[in-house]
Amino acid sequence: MIFRVIPTAVATAMLMTAFIVSAQKTVTAEVINLDSPVKMAVFLPEKTKATGRMIVNFPGGGYSMVATEHEGTDWSEYFNEMGIAYAVVNYRMPNGDRNIPITDAENAIREARKNAEKWNINPNDIGIMGFSAGGHLASTIATHSTDNAAPNFQILIYPVISMMPELTHEWSHDNFLGKDATQSLNRDYSSELNVTEHTPRAYIALCGDDTCVKPMNSIAYFEALMRHGVPATLHVYDSGDHGWGLRNSFKYHDQMLSDLCFWLSSF
């Protein structure tokens, strides 16, 4: 399994580094202080390419660390080339207090809407993205948040979806809810059990041989979206395990990027 995780303090420094590197690539970037020590690195496309769409991303790390590069800042050029504004958030770890990362995620979406005019984005075309445990955070926001904290679409890559014992990723579960979480709390934060007809459309990608997060997490979420009439796309690649992010060593790297690009152009 390929999975690089980085402590939050280091992640903050790496976001600052990414700002400098991206600036050298002529990608406009800005680091926003959401609430110390939470920072959001914002990468804007060239004005002539801008579509008005924005994606706010939450990398994975089991709710104990943040994989800022291959699941975070490395994606900026890909999205900016499509004219999509892109942001990466180094959200705080919950340590059993779920409200900490939820607050950071909601603040990031609100910040994007607040800066819509400045960043040349449509406040009604802001999506949330997440990898692994970051995918659980993204799907939690997609199924729970309302008003100006609610995303318009969601992109989930090999996500943790469920907090139910039979499906969840134990490490993520224990860090997010605590080892002694009640059945009621597990259900409340199992995204597959909280889908409604108002849940935003979704793109889900994973590998069928994922040994870290059970593939049934994604499948259960997809089925729930279908039952509620929510547009959703599910891509299950036959091999690649977990944690590939944007690494070109992933066998289906090019296909995955093409699939995501096609989906983004469909609405």
Side-chain angles (χ1 to χ4, degrees):
M1 178 178 66
I2 47 176
F3 195 97
R4 184 181 179 188
V5 289
I6 303 167
T8 304
V10 178
T12 300
M14 292 184 68
L15 285 175
M16 297 298 292
T17 302
F19 165 69
I20 297 170
V21 171
S22 296
Q24 292 172 346
K25 292 180 179 178
T26 70
V27 177
T28 303
E30 180 181 359
V31 176
I32 303 295
N33 290 304
L34 294 178
D35 183 18
S36 183
V38 185
K39 296 185 186 297
M40 179 167 72
V42 180
F43 303 86
L44 301 178
E46 297 174 12
K47 287 187 177 180
T48 56
K49 293 182 178 180
T51 63
R53 176 168 287 174
M54 184 171 192
I55 291 170
V56 181
N57 181 29
F58 299 85
Y63 280 126
S64 64
M65 302 176 182
V66 181
T68 55
E69 292 180 296
H70 68 292
E71 293 179 356
T73 54
D74 288 354
W75 287 78
S76 61
E77 190 171 4
Y78 169 76
F79 287 119
N80 283 178
E81 281 298 311
M82 286 190 282
I84 298 172
Y86 176 68
V88 183
V89 183
N90 71 315
Y91 55 99
R92 294 171 295 168
M93 300 301 101
N95 297 312
D97 183 353
R98 61 194 179 279
N99 292 313
I100 293 174
I102 288 174
T103 296
D104 293 347
E106 290 188 332
N107 284 343
I109 298 295
R110 292 190 184 103
E111 186 72 19
R113 289 203 165 98
K114 185 177 77 173
N115 286 281
E117 184 175 356
K118 175 184 175 183
W119 294 341
N120 193 28
I121 61 173
N122 178 354
N124 297 312
D125 197 8
I126 297 173
I128 196 166
M129 183 177 187
F131 294 77
S132 197
H136 178 261
L137 180 57
S139 68
T140 297
I141 300 304
T143 53
H144 288 71
S145 300
T146 59
D147 300 326
N148 66 348
N152 301 106
F153 60 92
Q154 52 184 316
I155 299 170
L156 308 175
I157 312 295
Y158 41 82
V160 177
I161 291 293
S162 186
M163 293 285 106
M164 301 304 288
E166 63 273 17
L167 277 185
T168 196
H169 177 247
E170 185 176 1
W171 183 17
S172 298
H173 170 278
D174 292 352
N175 286 325
F176 187 69
L177 293 180
K179 293 183 178 181
D180 300 323
T182 64
Q183 186 77 343
S184 176
L185 200 56
N186 286 338
R187 291 183 62 85
D188 286 346
Y189 291 95
S190 291
S191 297
E192 80 278 14
L193 302 179
N194 290 281
V195 172
T196 72
E197 64 272 19
H198 303 296
T199 302
R201 68 176 66 225
Y203 173 95
I204 310 166
L206 69 149
C207 290
D209 66 348
D210 194 325
T211 58
C212 181
V213 175
K214 295 176 182 177
M216 284 304 299
N217 278 264
S218 293
I219 294 169
Y221 193 53
F222 177 76
E223 289 179 341
L225 293 165
M226 291 292 95
R227 285 196 301 272
H228 288 84
V230 178
T233 294
L234 175 68
H235 290 278
V236 184
Y237 304 104
D238 64 0
S239 62
D241 206 337
H242 189 86
W244 25 270
L246 197 63
R247 290 177 174 146
N248 57 20
S249 56
F250 175 45
K251 180 180 178 181
Y252 297 101
H253 173 80
D254 292 343
Q255 182 64 49
M256 178 268 298
L257 294 181
S258 177
D259 291 338
L260 178 52
C261 181
F262 181 82
W263 182 76
L264 286 166
S265 68
S266 70
F267 64 95

